[in-house]
Amino acid sequence: MTEPMARFTIEQIRTFLAVVRLGSLHRAAAAAGLTQPAVTARIKNLEHALSCALFERTSGGLKLTKRGELLVAHAEKFEHLVELVQRDVVDPAGLEGRLRIGASETVAACWLPELVSRLHGAYPKLEIELKVDVSSDLREALINREIDLAILLGPISEYSVDNILLPGFDLAWYTAASGRRVADETSYLMRPVLTYARNTRPYRELKAQLFERVGPDASLFPSSSLSACFRLVAADMGVAALPRSLGETHVRAGRIREFDPGWVPSPLQFTASFVSEPKSHLTETAAALALEVSTDYAEQHG
């Protein structure tokens, strides 16, 4: 009598595809929130179940064997079928899992809490992990599969990433409410200009515009903390072009005020970005919900 083949699991298939897509056990482990030995064990158990080797180690890293290459297409179909079952059959209220969201500080200070609230309402058993960081780091985290959804200054120009355009944030110029008033408000720009971190698009754009309008004497002080920028403006340490929807609270509190030098940087444009493969109904739903929540926020603060 032929001995029945050992069974393999959905998680083993997913882990196999993660190793294939990311190119290493270490990256696959980081993306899945597992230890590398756990990933190694899943691959070995899958190889035992299929009675064949799926990878071979080379000087350049892991390489698929012939049977490993044959498995990829079948595994992707299997993965897609599981995704369809979760989308069409599983009750969202009973769906368990983990969703890793990365967001810029601007979004975190505005409508991210509402997004998390609505996700919890739709998926009460879902574990949501949040990462607040600058957009460049969020981009790398998404590409490396360390997060599932990135809400950042986008879009991300990468073939493997889908981007949903979100409403932008209009900027306004701010100075300390207690600061000295001048007749020509363009002269405020001769003071230190507090702005976003050096490796961001807003910093590069503002630097170029200040050089053109003010000249080489313009002084920029980049910061990775949006809240710190507001505090420094309130302390009369400089001026800044910051999101108006966030500045409103500080203006009403009498800490800062708007001024008009005759121009303002272009609005901050954000996207909800996610890796298209493997396809995830949950991630796509979260991205669509981010569009809904951000649109509501923009209408309320427009």
Side-chain angles (χ1 to χ4, degrees):
M1 175 182 267
T2 304
E3 183 178 343
M5 184 176 66
R7 296 178 180 178
F8 56 82
T9 67
I10 294 173
E11 292 307 320
Q12 289 168 0
I13 291 294
R14 284 175 167 163
T15 301
F16 165 74
L17 288 174
V19 174
V20 172
R21 289 164 177 156
L22 297 177
S24 76
L25 297 169
H26 175 72
R27 292 196 189 105
L34 300 170
T35 64
Q36 186 167 324
V39 170
T40 300
R42 285 186 180 182
I43 296 299
K44 286 184 176 179
N45 289 336
L46 180 59
E47 289 177 327
H48 176 71
L50 300 177
S51 300
C52 65
L54 300 173
F55 295 98
E56 60 179 338
R57 291 187 177 275
T58 68
S59 58
L62 291 178
K63 180 182 177 181
L64 284 167
T65 63
K66 291 293 184 181
R67 292 189 179 275
E69 291 175 356
L70 289 173
L71 178 61
V72 172
H74 295 293
E76 288 177 339
K77 292 177 184 177
F78 187 71
E79 179 184 56
H80 182 59
L81 177 60
V82 171
E83 177 61 28
L84 290 176
V85 170
Q86 289 185 340
R87 186 193 71 183
D88 299 333
V89 179
V90 177
D91 184 353
L95 181 64
E96 296 183 14
R98 181 179 59 147
L99 180 66
R100 302 164 301 173
I101 301 176
S104 72
E105 186 185 1
T106 302
V107 170
C110 296
W111 49 262
L112 183 62
E114 177 62 20
L115 173 62
V116 173
S117 176
R118 293 195 195 185
L119 282 169
H120 270 307
Y123 304 98
K125 292 187 177 181
L126 182 66
E127 177 186 349
I128 299 176
E129 294 183 5
L130 297 177
K131 175 184 177 70
V132 178
D133 210 334
V134 296
S135 292
S136 58
D137 289 346
L138 293 175
R139 178 190 182 279
E140 292 305 310
L142 182 66
I143 298 300
N144 292 330
R145 271 67 165 188
E146 295 167 5
I147 56 177
D148 304 303
L149 176 65
I151 304 171
L152 75 176
L153 289 164
I156 296 177
S157 299
E158 181 81 19
Y159 78 95
S160 62
V161 175
D162 287 342
N163 301 281
I164 295 180
L165 193 65
L166 305 177
F169 286 87
D170 290 331
L171 300 179
W173 284 104
Y174 294 104
T175 186
S178 60
R180 182 174 62 87
R181 293 178 180 267
V182 296
D184 180 10
E185 294 194 323
T186 60
S187 63
Y188 282 123
L189 300 184
M190 297 305 296
R191 302 196 62 204
V193 177
L194 306 159
T195 184
Y196 283 77
R198 192 179 300 274
N199 58 341
T200 63
R201 185 180 304 152
Y203 172 86
R204 295 194 302 270
E205 292 180 355
L206 182 59
K207 180 180 180 181
Q209 291 179 3
L210 283 173
F211 185 85
E212 178 182 343
R213 297 170 183 272
V214 178
D217 291 334
S219 179
L220 273 74
F221 283 70
S223 172
S224 60
S225 171
L226 189 63
S227 59
C229 286
F230 277 112
R231 291 196 300 271
L232 290 170
V233 170
D236 203 22
M237 300 298 293
V239 300
L242 299 169
R244 176 174 276 119
S245 58
L246 293 177
E248 292 171 346
T249 301
H250 299 277
V251 171
R252 287 195 299 268
R255 293 187 288 269
I256 63 176
R257 64 178 178 84
E258 285 193 35
F259 70 92
D260 182 12
W263 63 279
V264 67
S266 58
L268 302 180
Q269 187 61 67
F270 287 84
T271 60
S273 303
F274 54 92
V275 177
S276 57
E277 293 293 338
K279 188 177 180 64
S280 169
H281 173 65
L282 176 60
T283 303
E284 291 183 5
T285 298
L289 194 55
L291 175 59
E292 180 182 314
V293 171
S294 61
T295 300
D296 290 346
Y297 182 89
E299 291 175 351
Q300 294 169 8
H301 295 80

